[in-house]
Amino acid sequence: MRELATDTWILAGRHMKHIARVPEKLIGVTVAPVVMVMVFGYLFGSAMSVPGGNYREYIMAGIFTQVMFSAVGTSAAGVADDLKNGLVDRFRSLPMSRYAVLLGRTVSDMAMTALSCLVMALVGLLIGWKAHHGLVKTVAGFGLLLLLGFTMCWIGALIGLVVRSPEAVNTISSLMVLPFALLSNSFVPLDGLPRWMQIIGEWNPISSVVSACRDLWGNPSTVVSDALPAQHPLAAGTLILCCLLIVVAPMAARAYHRAAAR
């Protein structure tokens, strides 16, 4: 276990140093989230309203969740690029755990995603967003978001190992992110959708995470459904993400072992 932790720390540090040498990579995790918050907060916020609250407070949980969910593309592209440039072959010759290679990647990607979260929180405070239920519940909301981001990093790593083409993983990641992000309660209430779409949105794990964050932060919520995930979003979101992580991490490790053996 100590060797795994040491190898993971070294590899995560390597990825972070690479980002320091190519600061342009920071644009995606700093500028893009700021633009999203400003666009949704001011452009849409001036034209939309939600029952019982401010749209700027309503939308922030959705923006946080979408950025965490989009971490799947970052990790998928990074892993596919490592395979393409031969980095995995070099790692194979070293006495290290196959989990350490993937953990190093996902931990470093998670750190960048957490930076995005911090930047968005600061900008959100500037446009009027607040967390109203105290420090513990505020931290719990961000903890759930980080769990979502970490899970998406592992799913991205699995996609990158299976698809192996940096160009293809970008397309697949986009096709995966958009339906889940849009067919949820992230940006608009679900009650205006046809019933069959409402059901999909209610059972979408993204909706559970968004609703849980709104409840924890005391932000406006428009949930009127009696579906189990809608009534217990924190428990449903946490359970789904943990189950996904338990399933996907070993699958990614096996896929890495097969990729490294080629």
Side-chain angles (χ1 to χ4, degrees), residues 170-186:
N170 288 326
T171 302
I172 292 173
S173 300
S174 297
L175 292 174
M176 176 181 174
V177 169
L178 286 176
F180 278 94
L182 296 179
L183 194 55
S184 70
N185 61 1
S186 298

Side-chain angles (χ1 to χ4, degrees), residues 10-19 82 87 101 104-105 108:
I10 292 172
L11 292 173
R14 173 200 171 275
H15 292 303
M16 298 303 293
K17 288 178 181 177
H18 186 261
I19 292 172
D82 288 345
L87 184 63
V101 176
R105 164 62 64 182
S108 63

Side-chain angles (χ1 to χ4, degrees), residues 117-259:
C117 211
L118 175 60
V119 172
M120 284 190 298
L122 294 175
V123 178
L125 291 172
L126 292 176
I127 69 169
W129 168 75
K130 291 182 181 179
H132 302 278
H133 287 170
L135 179 62
V136 174
K137 288 189 175 182
T138 300
V139 173
F142 282 107
L144 181 61
L145 288 172
L146 293 178
L147 176 60
L148 171 63
F150 191 59
T151 303
M152 292 303 107
C153 286
W154 275 99
I155 293 176
L158 177 60
I159 293 172
L161 288 164
V162 172
V163 178
R164 300 173 66 88
S165 168
E167 296 78 12
V169 297
N170 288 326
T171 302
I172 292 173
S173 300
S174 297
L175 292 174
M176 176 181 174
V177 169
L178 286 176
F180 278 94
L182 296 179
L183 194 55
S184 70
N185 61 1
S186 298
F187 305 113
V188 294
L190 295 174
D191 52 7
L193 299 176
R195 182 55 191 159
W196 67 271
M197 295 183 72
Q198 288 184 34
I199 294 173
I200 295 174
E202 289 164 356
W203 287 89
N204 183 347
I206 300 302
S207 294
S208 298
V209 175
V210 172
S211 295
C213 288
R214 286 174 180 153
D215 290 345
L216 290 168
W217 295 338
N219 294 156
S221 178
T222 56
V223 175
V224 294
S225 170
D226 58 357
L228 185 62
Q231 294 299 313
H232 305 281
L234 179 58
T238 303
L239 180 61
I240 292 172
L241 294 178
C242 288
C243 290
L244 281 173
L245 195 56
I246 291 171
V247 171
V248 170
M251 290 177 63
R254 287 195 293 270
Y256 172 78
H257 180 71
R258 290 194 298 269

